[in-house]
Amino acid sequence: MLQGFCSVVSAMSELLYKSTRGKNEPVTASQAILQGLAKDGGLFVPEKLPQLDGSIASYAGQDYREVAYRVMKQFLTDFTEEELRDCIAKAYDDKFDVKELVPIVKVGGAYHLELFHGATIAFKDMALSILPHFMVTALKKNHVDREIVILTATSGDTGKAALAGFADVPGTRIIVFYPKDGVSRIQELQMVTQKGDNTAVVGIRGNFDDAQTGVKELFADADLEKTMAEAGLQFSSANSINIGRLVPQVVYYVYAYAKLLGQGVVKTGEPVNVVVPTGNFGNILAAFYAKNMGVPIGKLICASNENKVLFDFFETGIYDRNRAFKLTTSPSMDILVSSNLERMIYRIAGDDADRCAALMNALRTAGKYEIDEEMRAGLSDFVGGYATEEETAARIREIYEKEGYIMDTHTAVASRVYAKYVEKTGDKTTTVLASTASPYKFLTAVLGAIGKLPEEIADDEFAKVDQLHAVSGVKIPKAVEELRTAPVLHRRVCDGDKMKAEVLDILKLS
Ligand SMILES: *Cc1c(COP(=O)(O)O)cnc(C)c1O
């Protein structure tokens, strides 16, 4: 009786989240955020993608925070207006070094959406500055009295952004695993100097996929879950597998379109293409969600570096991770298992959880899977592209010399892929390009690309900072300035298969 009543109410007002592998009961948004990953190993997806709450034109000229509220409330329906606005106000404040939060700059023919003006100068801040507030709110709403332990694998940028977001947040602790030799020096320094009594950082001898696989195994470890529960602890995830990461990323695609509309760059309804430098498929999936909400987006151009597993997938319908993992100058995209693609697979399988689970199982056991023609048709909005290391460096140099604009290596991958796409197709549609990191995060590669890295400063990270400032005139971000004097606080290193022991030790459970 009561249950029937509840489901009628929820059908009218509440958006629930179900697992891509189908074994879980649907949960509310706040529960999905707290859990991170579904118990059956799947990812949470909304039962139905919501629509914009008004015409896209009604967003033109609106402040980022207002756009954020209007988009987020469509997804996070069990948060009250007050709760959402409070999370937004705490997240999008003067941690950002520009007032508009996300400036749009025309570079190389595309509108760069500069998503790197937050506390840790990568686009991950857009979601990770709000996720901790979502979690604290969700803990209260669900009367959870356990402490949340955020377990995160990072290819470089998520780790710091998550640490900064969760440091000293009551009711939470955070443990970050990063590939010891797979991140830039600035990225590593940012993480190992993180303050906060509730933070831990561990370098692993392995690559990002090892770290991500290890973290997923820890989430699925029933013994560990029991030990944790007895100690009043519960895991959650700050990776983009958490729906609380994805939703804030939808916001800036709505904002970008509305801004271009307000500026008269596009007319109402005129489509824009979007180019996204892609690793775990989170950022571009957010663009796809924005399109499905009603933002006039045409093509979604998925840009990979030399780890071009996604490019091959779009070309052939075969996802095959059995290949050499390459360390590139765009380390945050050095990924062979793009976790968020599972949400897309589920969708193009017609929301068939069994089929999705079977494909993901094939990926786990054989390292590959193939989708059929019908599923491939569901990917028609996507175009895959990739840039080699040489092409990426050449693009940084070309744009620097022609336009005096300096971009980071990840953004450069996207910029190069965009140029190749236009050359090949002649498609002149207005294009938004997700600019994902500050060039100050990838000094060696960026200075090398423009031929301004003299031998004598090759080993001096902060001389490189000054050099980049001298040659670009771009203000040194506070996030980098602070590192000059910050003491190293984290020195843990472990093997890829010893992550559990490390977690037990950090949580004092061993
Ligand atoms: C994480 C990251 C990416 C890749 O984003 P995904 O959501 O994992 O596809 C690209 N560029 C930078 C700088 C990043 O930090």
Side-chain angles (χ1 to χ4, degrees):
M1 214 10 218
L2 191 59
Q3 203 154 13
F5 175 71
C6 286
S7 65
V8 170
V9 170
S10 66
M12 285 191 305
S13 61
E14 193 156 34
L15 182 62
L16 295 179
Y17 288 79
K18 58 190 174 175
S19 164
T20 50
R21 303 196 191 169
K23 301 232 172 356
N24 274 58
E25 283 299 305
V27 298
T28 62
S30 65
Q31 288 165 344
I33 287 170
L34 286 179
Q35 282 186 41
L37 200 64
K39 292 238 162 48
D40 59 16
L43 274 59
F44 286 114
V45 283
E47 285 194 315
K48 196 166 163 271
L49 274 180
Q51 295 298 299
L52 294 175
D53 71 342
S55 71
I56 184 72
S58 70
Y59 285 79
Q62 283 196 328
D63 175 70
Y64 192 86
R65 294 168 198 84
E66 187 59 26
V67 176
Y69 170 68
R70 291 180 64 186
V71 171
M72 289 174 183
K73 78 178 166 57
Q74 302 298 87
F75 281 95
L76 310 179
T77 54
D78 69 329
F79 285 66
T80 65
E81 172 165 2
E82 193 191 348
E83 285 168 344
L84 266 186
R85 288 198 188 273
D86 181 54
C87 290
I88 289 166
K90 286 177 173 148
Y92 304 119
D93 61 5
D94 58 12
K95 289 190 285 300
F96 285 75
D97 66 9
V98 285
K99 244 182 71 206
E100 69 255 62
L101 305 180
V102 182
I104 301 181
V105 194
K106 195 166 186 196
V107 180
Y111 289 87
H112 280 218
L113 187 58
E114 290 190 349
L115 299 168
F116 55 79
H117 290 279
T120 76
I121 58 175
F123 94 94
K124 305 292 197 294
D125 289 322
M126 298 313 300
L128 282 164
S129 44
I130 197 162
L131 182 67
H133 302 295
F134 285 163
M135 282 207 181
V136 170
T137 310
L139 283 171
K140 277 192 212 129
K141 294 183 84 65
N142 291 282
H143 310 289
V144 177
D145 51 10
R146 289 186 191 156
E147 245 186 286
I148 291 285
V149 179
I150 301 294
L151 208 55
T152 289
T154 182
S155 55
D157 290 327
T158 293
K160 177 62 186 186
L163 287 161
F166 282 96
D168 292 327
V169 171
T172 72
R173 303 191 208 177
I174 174 163
I175 305 173
V176 168
F177 291 96
Y178 73 96
K180 181 78 185 102
D181 298 315
V183 300
S184 82
R185 183 65 192 137
I186 289 283
Q187 286 178 312
E188 181 169 42
L189 273 175
Q190 282 187 300
M191 289 188 276
V192 297
T193 58
Q194 178 65 47
K195 295 186 196 131
D197 291 340
N198 64 339
T199 66
V201 178
V202 186
I204 70 157
R205 299 182 196 95
N207 61 38
F208 170 71
D209 285 319
D210 299 325
Q212 178 158 262
T213 305
V215 162
K216 282 188 188 164
E217 278 167 13
L218 293 174
F219 276 122
D221 186 325
D223 278 347
L224 184 58
E225 188 185 343
K226 191 159 162 274
T227 312
M228 301 260 302
E230 283 162 9
L233 303 169
Q234 170 186 330
F235 280 138
S236 187
S237 168
N239 279 104
S240 54
I241 52 176
N242 193 314
I243 197 75
R245 274 280 301 277
L246 217 45
V247 171
Q249 293 179 181
V250 178
V251 172
Y252 46 75
Y253 292 107
V254 180
Y255 174 79
Y257 189 91
K259 183 97 181 238
L260 293 178
L261 193 58
Q263 292 173 345
V265 175
V266 291
K267 291 197 256 327
T268 310
E270 182 184 336
V272 301
N273 290 341
V274 170
V275 191
V276 185
T278 300
N280 229 354
F281 209 75
N283 201 358
I284 195 162
L285 184 70
F288 177 77
Y289 280 8
K291 174 171 179 154
N292 283 273
M293 289 186 88
V295 180
I297 291 173
K299 290 292 176 204
L300 297 149
I301 302 167
C302 175
S304 299
N305 65 21
E306 289 183 6
N307 293 294
K308 59 181 184 56
V309 65
L310 286 166
F311 169 78
D312 294 339
F313 174 64
F314 288 120
E315 290 291 296
T316 63
I318 299 171
Y319 193 98
D320 186 358
R321 64 156 300 181
N322 300 305
R323 62 181 76 202
F325 180 96
K326 295 188 184 158
L327 280 180
T328 73
T329 51
S330 44
S332 302
M333 296 156 67
D334 288 345
I335 291 174
L336 295 179
V337 181
S338 298
S339 288
N340 272 293
L341 188 64
E342 179 167 346
R343 290 187 161 111
M344 199 65 218
I345 294 294
Y346 174 78
R347 186 182 167 93
I348 60 178
D351 290 4
D352 182 340
D354 289 338
R355 204 154 154 213
C356 181
L359 292 172
M360 293 307 126
N361 195 42
L363 181 62
R364 196 170 52 82
T365 52
K368 64 190 238 179
Y369 62 81
E370 180 166 9
I371 61 171
D372 62 21
E373 281 308 315
E374 203 187 324
M375 285 178 73
R376 285 188 73 181
L379 296 173
S380 60
D381 291 338
F382 290 87
V383 181
Y386 74 98
T388 64
E389 288 289 274
E390 293 73 36
E391 288 171 330
T392 303
R395 186 66 173 171
I396 294 175
R397 182 174 194 134
E398 179 194 344
I399 295 293
Y400 173 69
E401 287 174 353
K402 276 196 200 143
E403 305 183 20
Y405 182 89
I406 192 104
M407 56 187 155
D408 100 284
T409 44
H410 304 74
T411 306
V413 167
S415 179
R416 174 66 211 190
V417 165
Y418 170 63
K420 277 205 239 186
Y421 169 80
V422 174
E423 213 172 284
K424 189 168 155 212
T425 60
D427 185 352
K428 293 283 164 56
T429 305
T430 302
T431 296
V432 169
L433 186 148
S435 178
T436 49
S438 159
Y440 279 99
K441 264 195 144 159
F442 305 97
L443 293 156
T444 307
V446 169
L447 287 171
I450 60 172
K452 307 267 187 203
L453 184 58
E455 186 115 19
E456 60 273 19
I457 65 166
D459 292 323
D460 182 342
E461 213 54 23
F462 292 102
K464 289 184 229 170
V465 169
D466 295 330
Q467 169 77 346
L468 184 59
H469 178 62
V471 301
S472 71
V474 177
K475 188 166 169 279
I476 301 172
K478 195 163 123 249
V480 171
E481 208 52 83
E482 284 171 353
L483 292 178
R484 290 187 201 260
T485 52
V488 170
L489 301 172
H490 303 273
R491 299 181 191 277
R492 285 176 185 266
V493 179
C494 79
D495 288 331
D497 57 1
K498 298 274 157 38
M499 287 165 60
K500 182 172 176 177
E502 210 62 35
V503 167
L504 290 170
D505 187 53
I506 289 164
L507 298 175
K508 305 199 170 65
L509 296 175
S510 51

